[in-house]
Amino acid sequence: METFSMEVGGRTLTIEQGKMAKQANGAVLVRYGDTVVLVTATASKEPREGVDFFPLTVDYEEKMYAAGKIPGGFIKREGRPSNDATLCARLIDRPIRPLFPKGYRNDVQIVATVLSVEPDNAPELAGMIGASCALSVSDIPFDGPIAGVRVGRVDGAFVINPTAAQREVSTLNLTVAGSADAVMMVEAGASELPEEVVLDAILFGHKEIQRIVAFEQEIQAACGKLKSEARLFKVPEALAEALDAAARPLLDEAVRNPDKLDRDAHIAAIAADMMEKFLPEYPEMEKEIAMAFHDLEKSVVRRMITREKIRPDGRGLEEVRPVSCEVGLLPRPHGSALFTRGQTQVLSVTTLGALSDEQVIDGLGPETTKHYLHQYNFPGYSVGEARPMRSPGRREIGHGALAERALLPVVPSIESFPYTIRVVSEVLESNGSSSMASVCGSTLSLMHAGVPIKRPVSGVAMGLVKEGDAYTILTDIQGMEDALGDMDFKVAGTSEGITALQMDIKVDGLSRDILQAALAQAKRGRAFILDKMLACIPAPAAELSPYAPRVETITIKVDKIRDVIGTGGKVVRGIVDETGVDVDIHEDGHIFLTSPDAAAMARAKQMIEDIVREVEVGEVYTGTVTRLLKFGAFVQILPNKEGLCHISQLANHRVERVEDVVQVGDQLTVKVVEIDEKGRINLSHKATL
């Protein structure tokens, strides 16, 4: 076993190699403080028959024992990955995927198993560094290493891998990954920060990445295996040249069709013709012909953009596709909006619920709750495909998380707007950047629902085509430009600054100048889209939907909370059962009542106020007679509060027997005349006559 250590963010990062999982092609144990992650890299000996893509799988395994917890439910073992685990797997996948050789078709599986977790030290970052290390020391072809860090901004200063306490006050949560030469992936949430600050944070993080990459290179030099000779899927040069000559003029015309469906159909027809033409000459090379055609299509589109400065749909480089916005399409949901940008269309629907509807997150960290939820669905019909409707995949979870991160900085606090808010974005059509369309649609839907967001958020996806030192930046990329370009750079924010950012790069050498230009161009694109949105709905609706629940807040003394809850929750359950009102009791004494029925809300409020009300001398109450004794009657004047009305205080005349005046169950108006030193309450009915 060999051990290597360095300091990252003021804590020790240790990598052990050669102790565990020795049958994998490569395996390392990463320790970062008390966080421990085992990462393995395994590849098949040969490509699977018939596979025409690179089958890379990244699994991020959260083990509850890592946090000293036992899984919930009946089975008591880990099941399908949580949303957080899925997002962590995507975080590791994105920077390593472009670094495998083109044409490599062997199955590769990366497994990051979290064995121990400390809140201050992120296991996903240890997993990312471990994945790069495991691949680097293995015999699997890999053009790494890479590394990743998180950058926070505390009191105006950047912090590498901020602690849990620092993350609570940070105005930036940015994860950046890259190689020694280039930034390859960025994922960020921010509190409306200027573009220049975000850019500085990315480059600040990359400097630390360069140190970690150098550390990994030392490990690779010390214990790395000789890389295996991979069997790469290649197109014969003669086939590529012949297909180029036959298909380039046809493709050059076809890719200029602005309508996606027509363009795709035309390109598919050309592909079918080329297959029919070349398959007899190159038998059993169907996949090679398809690959050569794809490479040619990519070449035609990139040449048109870089040399002619013309995009497939004829737009200018900074031109946003036609935008239309509509709110209030659906009568019963609490908020709805339809956002259309070119051939990308998203329906976003808002639901307001009680605080008890908030989501409980019980993972490897401390249990937390979310009162704002954004979910994203991408059905097959949105791209003209017939495919089974399944549970959300990694892409849908990732896009939903991006849109949620973009809007979270402007969502009101529970104190100012005590609702659980759920927004669902249904992608109805897609031709590029449906995630940013869901940001725009969700902003409109929240405003239509009357949610008092801080400021509206718009988003745009940027693209890049880079040939040598020359580059072209594209605003509002469509699907073809995303697939055939070199960058997918999504930026969301308000008029004041950036709230979320996601970037994936397919090329090396992304300079500060390119990043700066892309951010500036994105800002102009966001402003254009925002103007279209505000023309539709300039501000949040003044009133909630009549179908939305109403929330009322009561504040009681903390020592009265147990009285409202009652033994085993008996009292609060009684209020809920009698009124139908949802009652959320918080530890600070705030009680939130939620119901669409105003009368029921008033009744529940009165019941709670009666429970916590203090009995005061001189106050008059109408109570219920609960017991009769020879010397008087006990009257319940408030819940759990009763006093004695002495026989002499039951009437203006002499009373011989208590039963002559009152019976159990009677309503009796009484005045509090005394509360003695033992807290006993003395009442008088005579004083009210």
Side-chain angles (χ1 to χ4, degrees):
M1 182 187 81
E2 297 191 63
T3 304
F4 307 84
S5 297
M6 72 174 293
E7 292 294 312
V8 179
R11 280 96 78 196
T12 301
L13 172 70
T14 301
I15 294 179
E16 301 172 6
Q17 194 276 333
K19 182 177 182 179
M20 295 184 181
K22 294 188 287 292
Q23 294 190 43
N25 294 65
V28 294
L29 189 73
V30 183
R31 297 181 182 273
Y32 191 36
D34 283 347
T35 292
V36 182
V37 183
L38 173 66
V39 189
T40 61
T42 314
S44 62
K45 300 295 186 290
E46 294 291 336
R48 272 184 286 155
E49 190 65 34
V51 171
D52 58 356
F53 62 94
F54 172 41
L56 171 66
T57 304
V58 177
D59 292 311
Y60 183 85
E61 298 288 310
E62 290 182 322
K63 301 298 183 181
M64 296 301 282
Y65 57 68
K69 297 181 179 181
I70 295 175
F74 292 103
I75 299 175
K76 297 297 179 186
R77 70 177 298 163
E78 292 81 4
R80 63 170 291 176
S82 67
N83 279 6
D84 283 347
T86 298
L87 295 173
C88 291
R90 282 171 55 86
L91 209 63
I92 295 169
D93 183 303
R94 285 157 52 199
I96 65 173
R97 185 174 289 272
L99 298 180
F100 291 88
K102 182 181 179 183
Y104 189 57
R105 295 291 183 264
N106 295 49
D107 282 88
V108 175
Q109 184 184 35
I110 308 297
V111 181
T113 307
V114 182
L115 304 176
S116 174
V117 67
E118 177 189 7
D120 282 346
N121 300 314
E124 63 271 23
L125 296 178
M128 183 188 295
I129 294 168
S132 172
C133 255
L135 286 165
S136 296
V137 302
S138 75
D139 60 348
I140 301 170
F142 178 65
D143 190 19
I146 60 96
V149 295
R150 179 168 287 139
V151 180
R153 187 170 183 258
V154 181
D155 296 329
F158 295 131
V159 180
I160 293 291
N161 293 352
T163 63
Q166 289 173 323
R167 290 197 295 270
E168 286 292 320
V169 297
S170 176
T171 57
L172 176 68
N173 180 13
L174 181 144
T175 301
V176 56
S179 63
D181 302 318
V183 173
M184 303 186 66
M185 186 274 294
V186 177
E187 187 91 35
S191 299
E192 299 181 283
L193 291 180
E195 279 75 6
E196 198 66 27
V197 172
V198 174
L199 178 58
D200 288 343
I202 293 171
L203 299 178
F204 180 81
H206 188 241
K207 286 183 181 178
E208 189 71 5
I209 285 170
Q210 291 172 321
R211 289 183 58 241
I212 301 172
V213 166
F215 170 64
E216 291 183 56
Q217 288 169 336
E218 292 175 14
I219 298 172
Q220 183 178 15
C223 53
K225 299 176 184 177
L226 184 67
K227 295 297 181 185
S228 63
E229 288 292 329
R231 181 156 66 92
L232 303 181
F233 185 81
K234 293 183 178 179
V235 177
E237 189 172 332
L239 169 60
E241 290 176 354
L243 192 140
D244 188 302
R248 183 177 286 273
L250 302 174
L251 276 174
D252 192 59
E253 178 187 353
V255 298
R256 298 171 192 266
N257 189 329
D259 184 272
K260 177 195 174 188
L261 295 179
D262 288 348
R263 181 175 64 239
D264 289 351
H266 194 177
I267 292 172
I270 297 171
D273 288 345
M274 293 300 109
M275 187 66 70
E276 185 177 348
K277 176 181 176 67
F278 286 98
L279 199 55
E281 185 178 350
Y282 295 91
E284 299 183 1
M285 283 198 178
E286 186 174 350
K287 289 184 173 59
E288 286 84 348
I289 295 171
M291 184 175 177
F293 186 85
H294 173 77
D295 290 345
L296 177 60
E297 180 186 354
K298 182 175 181 177
S299 170
V300 168
V301 171
R302 293 171 66 88
R303 180 187 180 93
M304 181 173 67
I305 291 172
T306 55
R307 300 193 181 183
E308 300 179 49
K309 301 301 179 183
I310 296 174
R311 301 171 70 170
D313 56 6
R315 279 183 293 149
L317 301 182
E318 289 201 43
E319 186 179 348
V320 178
R321 288 171 287 178
V323 173
S324 67
C325 307
E326 186 180 347
V327 297
L329 295 83
L330 308 176
R332 289 282 177 159
H334 307 152
S336 59
L338 185 68
F339 179 84
T340 307
R341 187 189 59 239
Q343 290 177 291
T344 295
Q345 186 179 71
V346 173
L347 174 68
S348 290
V349 183
T350 299
T351 306
L352 304 179
L355 289 178
S356 58
D357 292 327
E358 64 188 357
Q359 184 179 17
V360 177
I361 309 296
D362 185 17
L364 295 184
E367 184 177 295
T368 57
T369 58
K370 287 170 61 175
H371 83 286
Y372 174 68
L373 315 171
H374 185 278
Q375 293 159 355
Y376 167 102
N377 296 315
F378 192 89
Y381 65 74
S382 66
V383 287
E385 296 177 0
R387 61 174 185 237
M389 300 292 283
R390 305 189 190 278
S391 58
R394 289 189 172 192
R395 180 178 179 276
E396 289 171 299
I397 292 171
H399 281 13
L402 174 60
E404 182 175 294
R405 191 162 53 247
L407 285 158
L408 195 57
V410 302
V411 171
S413 65
I414 288 176
E415 290 73 24
S416 61
F417 192 71
Y419 286 91
T420 295
I421 306 167
R422 179 183 183 234
V423 181
V424 179
S425 290
E426 308 284 0
V427 180
L428 307 183
E429 284 188 71
S430 179
N431 183 19
S433 192
S434 55
S435 63
M436 291 297 96
S438 71
V439 169
C440 300
S442 298
T443 297
L444 295 169
S445 181
L446 287 167
M447 294 171 73
H448 175 249
V451 178
I453 59 173
K454 186 177 178 182
R455 268 178 286 274
V457 179
S458 62
V460 68
M462 309 298 294
L464 173 75
V465 178
K466 189 172 183 289
E467 299 287 348
D469 293 332
Y471 63 89
T472 303
I473 298 172
L474 307 174
T475 297
D476 179 28
I477 55 173
Q478 58 180 309
M480 174 178 277
E481 294 164 338
D482 183 5
L484 305 180
D486 298 320
M487 177 179 76
D488 180 15
F489 193 3
K490 301 180 178 75
V491 188
T494 68
S495 58
E496 300 300 309
I498 291 172
T499 58
L501 184 149
Q502 186 181 88
M503 179 177 71
D504 291 296
I505 301 296
K506 305 173 189 175
V507 293
D508 292 338
L510 201 62
S511 67
R512 181 189 180 99
D513 289 343
I514 296 176
L515 283 170
Q516 194 166 23
L519 283 168
Q521 195 165 313
K523 185 176 182 179
R524 295 191 290 273
R526 287 193 292 112
F528 173 83
I529 295 169
L530 186 59
D531 286 344
K532 299 288 186 181
M533 293 164 59
L534 293 176
C536 173
I537 179 169
E543 299 290 336
L544 300 182
S545 162
Y547 303 108
R550 267 47 183 177
V551 176
E552 194 160 338
T553 306
I554 306 173
T555 304
I556 65 172
K557 294 180 180 178
V558 174
D559 59 4
K560 294 290 184 182
I561 292 176
R562 61 183 179 182
D563 295 334
V564 178
I565 295 174
T567 305
K570 181 180 178 180
V571 174
V572 70
R573 280 201 306 272
I575 297 171
V576 173
D577 292 343
E578 182 175 332
T579 65
V581 173
D582 191 281
V583 181
D584 290 304
I585 303 173
H586 288 214
E587 293 179 355
D588 60 359
H590 285 89
I591 300 178
F592 299 96
L593 308 178
T594 309
S595 174
D597 187 334
M601 185 100 75
R603 173 65 181 143
K605 182 179 180 182
Q606 185 62 54
M607 292 172 74
I608 293 172
E609 289 177 343
D610 286 346
I611 292 170
V612 301
R613 186 186 303 168
E614 297 286 351
V615 178
E616 296 183 15
V617 175
E619 288 291 315
V620 175
Y621 302 88
T622 298
T624 303
V625 177
T626 58
R627 289 180 291 157
L628 300 182
L629 300 174
K630 289 184 179 180
F631 52 83
F634 280 92
V635 183
Q636 182 177 341
I637 55 175
L638 291 173
N640 302 319
K641 296 285 174 62
E642 65 177 18
L644 173 65
C645 185
H646 192 268
I647 191 170
S648 63
Q649 299 297 316
L650 284 173
N652 285 330
H653 57 273
R654 178 179 176 80
V655 177
E656 296 293 337
R657 296 169 64 248
V658 175
E659 293 87 343
D660 294 340
V661 180
V662 291
Q663 299 293 327
V664 172
D666 285 353
Q667 295 293 299
L668 190 67
T669 302
V670 291
K671 183 177 182 179
V672 179
V673 294
E674 181 190 18
I675 301 176
D676 67 18
E677 67 278 0
K678 293 183 179 180
R680 293 177 297 196
I681 303 168
N682 293 320
L683 308 172
S684 171
H685 176 57
K686 182 169 68 173
T688 67
L689 299 177

